[in-house]
Amino acid sequence: MCKFLEKKQFRILLAFIALLLLINLMQETYAKYVSTADASGNFTIAKWVFSINDQDVLANRDFSQVIVPVVEENNYIANGVIAPTSTAYFDITIDSTDVDVSYTENITVTRALSNTVTDLNITGYTKNSGPLINISDPEEAFISTDYDLGEQGENRYRFYFEWNDNSTEENMDNAEDTIQTVDGVAAFTVTVNFIQKAN
């Protein structure tokens, strides 16, 4: 009987060893057909980079320092100052070369809230040295332009002003013009915004 148990235990041990070998062999066999791969996909984000007079508007939204008004020379008025009958202009150069989407560009030029020279009128503008486009509202100029993909680039706008001193002057007479020479402010506000066109 003892020998029978020994044989039975021996057989169980052999069966267990065989089972372990079989499981190990199956794992190696199946491992030949299992593989793993990882990847990451990156999208290229469209660029949205505008500059106004060489200043990046994303980095600095206030571009007051790069707008330089130019008073046109006059034999009767000192250079660089504005007075009744003066004419002046300033340039805005907008560079959209690094923009990868279609967009709408809106430019608004108005008399500033601090402006006290109420006869300082916006008279017109040019784009890229083109013909003068007259402004009907002396207090505000608004330009809206759509640019499709592929139309990005550089555009220069020149806005013209005058200190109206003729018989059609709107708000100021000669006495009020004189008062402005003491502590008057001749100023304008420029707002430029860019809106992506979705369709």
Side-chain angles (χ1 to χ4, degrees):
M1 186 93 179
C2 219
K3 286 188 174 195
F4 177 73
L5 283 175
E6 284 179 25
K7 287 182 181 179
K8 190 174 183 182
Q9 287 176 345
F10 180 71
R11 286 182 182 163
I12 290 173
L13 181 62
L14 275 178
F16 183 71
I17 292 172
L19 181 62
L20 286 176
L21 288 172
L22 181 62
I23 290 171
N24 188 41
L25 181 63
M26 286 176 64
Q27 283 181 337
E28 287 182 5
T29 301
Y30 285 127
K32 293 177 184 174
Y33 301 102
V34 175
S35 61
T36 302
D38 292 313
S40 60
N42 295 318
F43 290 100
T44 301
I45 298 174
K47 289 183 285 186
W48 182 258
V49 180
F50 293 92
S51 69
I52 297 177
N53 293 3
D54 295 323
Q55 178 177 299
D56 183 346
V57 296
L58 292 179
N60 189 355
R61 292 177 51 194
D62 182 357
F63 57 97
S64 303
Q65 300 302 315
V66 294
I67 292 184
V68 180
V70 176
V71 179
E72 296 181 306
E73 291 188 15
N74 182 319
N75 291 333
Y76 306 101
I77 300 170
N79 289 341
V81 297
I82 194 163
T85 73
S86 290
T87 56
Y89 65 86
F90 68 85
D91 292 334
I92 297 176
T93 300
I94 299 173
D95 188 350
S96 63
T97 304
D98 289 329
V99 176
D100 289 337
V101 296
S102 300
Y103 66 96
T104 299
E105 171 187 278
N106 295 322
I107 304 171
T108 307
V109 180
T110 59
R111 293 178 186 158
L113 293 176
S114 61
N115 180 68
T116 60
V117 181
T118 54
D119 282 337
L120 181 65
N121 294 337
I122 307 163
T123 58
Y125 73 93
T126 60
K127 181 178 179 181
N128 297 327
S129 302
L132 179 68
I133 298 168
N134 293 315
I135 299 293
S136 58
D137 183 350
E139 295 185 28
E140 179 180 271
F142 177 74
I143 304 165
S144 183
T145 310
D146 290 329
Y147 292 95
D148 290 327
L149 194 61
E151 294 180 337
Q152 292 80 357
E154 188 173 279
N155 291 294
R156 189 187 75 181
Y157 296 88
R158 176 167 285 184
F159 290 90
Y160 292 90
F161 296 82
E162 72 172 352
W163 185 328
N164 185 7
D165 192 49
N166 59 32
S167 59
T168 63
E169 62 183 314
E170 300 160 10
N171 302 305
M172 299 168 59
D173 58 21
N174 290 340
E176 290 169 323
D177 287 343
T178 304
I179 291 169
Q180 293 302 315
T181 64
V182 178
D183 57 3
V185 175
F188 50 85
T189 299
V190 181
T191 304
V192 182
N193 64 48
F194 306 100
I195 305 163
Q196 180 184 346
K197 290 171 59 180
N199 295 312

